[in-house]
Amino acid sequence: MDTADQLLEPLRRGHPRALARAITWMENGHPEARALMASLWPHLGRAMVIGLTGSPGAGKSTLTDQLARTLRAEGQRVGILAVDPTSPFSGGAILGDRIRMQRIAADPGIFIRSMATRGALGGLARATQDAIDLLDAANFDTVIVETVGVGQDEVDVVSCVHSCCVVLVPGMGDEIQAIKAGIMEVADLFVINKADRDGADQVEREIEAMKSLSPTRDWDPPVLRTVAAQGEGVADLLAAVRAHGAWLRTHGGLARKARERARLRFESLLAEAAVRRAKAQAGPARIEAAVRAIAEGQADPYAAVAGILGEG
Amino acid sequence: MDTADQLLEPLRRGHPRALARAITWMENGHPEARALMASLWPHLGRAMVIGLTGSPGAGKSTLTDQLARTLRAEGQRVGILAVDPTSPFSGGAILGDRIRMQRIAADPGIFIRSMATRGALGGLARATQDAIDLLDAANFDTVIVETVGVGQDEVDVVSCVHSCCVVLVPGMGDEIQAIKAGIMEVADLFVINKADRDGADQVEREIEAMKSLSPTRDWDPPVLRTVAAQGEGVADLLAAVRAHGAWLRTHGGLARKARERARLRFESLLAEAAVRRAKAQAGPARIEAAVRAIAEGQADPYAAVAGILGEG
């Protein structure tokens, strides 16, 4: 499985190792990544993509597991992408995800992967979009993308899924509300998880208050309640996600989401390619000299970059 | 104050409106931004930069306020940059910061600003570095950079400050620990805030366990305890930050931080400039056609970008 041609067939059959390798290719910008995407492109557009975003401790992983379990019971194949920009230095899956992977790995109808690419330029969001395509091409019916809900990369990711669920929990303090405000505009559904705790009503009031402050949208995001650890409310959440999916299909929403996703990927790949080209043209020696000059106070960063690009 | 020349003098005197305008220039890539940075460059390198990072609800804002108050009492001028990548869509300061700003705005020795630039390409980290320079040039003695502690931009920001404090609180649940693991490598100090709560000992044990798993560093990050709301432990924290600063000065740490910072800014500005140039060369019509082709399934993103860059 060293070329796109060799990977294509096992990937299309949903072979887990082929999928894992293909995602790594996309993350690392492997030379065959472009050829692989070109050959997959005609096979895309079938998978439904659900986003789950929320603060640490909101119970997103549990909710994801419950949704995946419910969809599996219906016979669906489910891909899970855990976007984790919090571990850029260790560069791998977080411990919790490793444990989850071991637990569900026995089921060939579920594929789970942590996305934690180190690298600027929106590479994490772009690689996640690529991974969604790979799962789509491998005939997964639903892809669940789980993110911590802060950071530009994460907002980019969830702004492009079909149905973005913002997960909140009662009693998390004031600062949480600020985060919620930031992702208001991309929320298609609100989920109050751990809804058996004190304060669920207050969270719901706060959501409604924020909704009333936001610009009016064609779609009014519903507020669901779950106790994911007990599986409570999961079926209703899934029904609400499907209602949103139906609304998207009848209101031009799928085309709109496709445009947003296209723009994100175009911008991100253009940036990666433009930087690669600029660096290749300048050469490593000149780049290192420029960085050194900035560090030692001999050149300001703007002038140093202009010099490298010949815009002196 | 419409040109760099006009802005320079009031900025150097620490005029708040000049500072605010200059930061906005840097955020937006104003045509005069480059000239301004060039004229400031000789005046930099005096300010001490402290980073405070941690989960929402960890009490970073309160801790920042307490540190600023203590430094003010010593006669220092303090700049506060609240990095907030969580509100990219509303594009402004979060409500809490607005309230804080009103509260402290009366003191001319404190300048506070939320950095919440919408925009990919590491622009937020780069703009924050620029803002640090502007505060430095305006003779602020200490700059405190406060971030939520997740997202690549944020890690980039705190990896470049002089002393990065990772703020934790007892009893925040398992998922929090994953976040801590991700920022282990950039922590110069650990702060257990709200240390009067149950579980402070456990958090400290977890920190020590994580430290023992990390690669050995020349600097062993100390673990401090604070109750920021009561001002407890703030003086000790400040003493520890200063001890770290002294260590940096005697162990080549300042030069190392300067190199990291130079690389971050060079990479980020190079990306911004390279993308600007690639887009200008392609022109908006061809770019919109490429995005449309991707959205409608006629071209895969890799091929579309290669086409735009003439790498077909």
Side-chain angles (χ1 to χ4, degrees), chain A residues 283-294 308, chain B residues 259 263 266-267:
Chain A
R286 281 184 62 211
I287 288 173
E288 289 312 307
V291 171
R292 204 163 47 238
I294 300 168
I308 286 288
Chain B
R259 277 196 305 276
R263 188 167 302 280
F266 176 84
E267 295 277 342

Side-chain angles (χ1 to χ4, degrees), chain A residues 118 130 152 277 302 309, chain B residues 118 130 152 277 302 309:
Chain A
R118 169 109 176 103
D130 286 349
Q152 186 58 49
R277 173 188 280 199
Y302 287 82
L309 291 176
Chain B
R118 170 106 175 107
D130 286 349
Q152 186 57 49
R277 172 189 282 198
Y302 288 83
L309 290 176

Side-chain angles (χ1 to χ4, degrees), chain A:
Chain A
M1 300 196 292
D2 293 327
T3 67
D5 273 356
Q6 290 167 338
L7 202 56
L8 184 61
E9 206 261 27
L11 178 69
R12 291 274 288 147
R13 278 189 292 110
H15 192 292
R17 229 171 318 164
L19 252 175
R21 173 165 295 197
I23 294 176
T24 302
W25 281 9
M26 298 300 166
E27 284 181 332
N28 299 343
H30 188 280
E32 290 288 301
R34 191 181 145 188
L36 183 63
M37 190 55 79
S39 60
L40 291 180
W41 200 249
H43 305 289
L44 303 182
R46 217 180 52 83
M48 191 71 190
V49 187
I50 304 173
L52 284 184
T53 189
S55 302
K60 296 179 299 297
S61 302
T62 314
L63 208 47
T64 300
D65 286 358
Q66 292 282 358
L67 285 171
R69 212 178 292 246
T70 309
L71 291 164
R72 278 303 289 147
E74 297 178 4
Q76 286 204 19
R77 300 179 68 231
V78 182
I80 299 173
L81 298 173
V83 178
D84 174 22
T86 61
S87 307
F89 288 89
S90 44
I94 60 176
L95 186 63
D97 280 324
R98 288 207 195 105
I99 294 166
R100 286 169 65 197
M101 268 184 269
Q102 286 167 359
R103 189 155 49 86
I104 340 189
D107 181 350
I110 291 191
F111 179 88
I112 176 165
R113 165 88 173 216
S114 277
M115 309 289 299
T117 320
R118 169 109 176 103
L121 304 178
L124 181 59
R126 194 267 307 155
T128 304
Q129 295 297 335
D130 286 349
I132 292 171
D133 279 354
L134 293 171
L135 288 163
D136 188 0
N139 289 307
F140 282 82
D141 303 281
T142 300
V143 179
I144 304 177
V145 183
E146 182 190 317
T147 80
V148 178
V150 278
Q152 186 58 49
D153 264 343
E154 295 217 319
V155 176
D156 284 345
V157 169
V158 295
S159 67
C160 294
V161 300
H162 292 125
S163 297
C164 171
C165 306
V166 173
V167 185
L168 309 168
V169 283
M172 286 281 274
D174 276 355
E175 232 172 303
I176 300 283
Q177 312 311 325
I179 285 193
K180 289 188 294 193
I183 44 181
M184 273 308 285
E185 288 87 344
V186 290
D188 298 308
L189 299 93
F190 289 97
V191 182
I192 304 176
N193 191 32
K194 308 185 184 179
D196 52 347
R197 287 194 188 171
D198 283 349
D201 290 345
Q202 196 196 324
V203 174
E204 179 148 5
R205 278 194 300 274
E206 286 166 357
I207 294 170
E208 296 297 341
M210 280 189 297
K211 276 164 62 174
S212 70
L213 291 171
S214 299
T216 310
R217 292 165 59 187
D218 297 339
W219 169 259
D220 181 36
V223 183
L224 283 294
R225 293 192 184 201
T226 56
V227 185
Q230 269 82 55
E232 283 171 32
V234 174
D236 286 348
L237 171 58
L238 201 53
V241 167
R242 282 171 171 155
H244 177 250
W247 180 86
L248 282 179
R249 278 187 293 277
T250 51
H251 288 74
L254 291 179
R256 182 173 48 79
K257 296 268 184 182
R259 276 196 304 276
E260 286 170 15
R261 211 174 149 206
R263 188 168 302 279
L264 168 71
R265 302 177 86 177
F266 177 83
E267 295 277 343
S268 172
L269 283 171
L270 182 71
E272 292 178 62
V275 169
R276 204 163 46 229
R277 173 188 280 199
K279 285 189 174 175
Q281 283 172 353
R286 281 184 62 211
I287 288 173
E288 289 312 307
V291 171
R292 204 163 47 238
I294 300 168
E296 292 170 2
Q298 291 146 11
D300 76 83
Y302 287 82
V305 166
I308 286 288
L309 291 176
E311 291 171 354

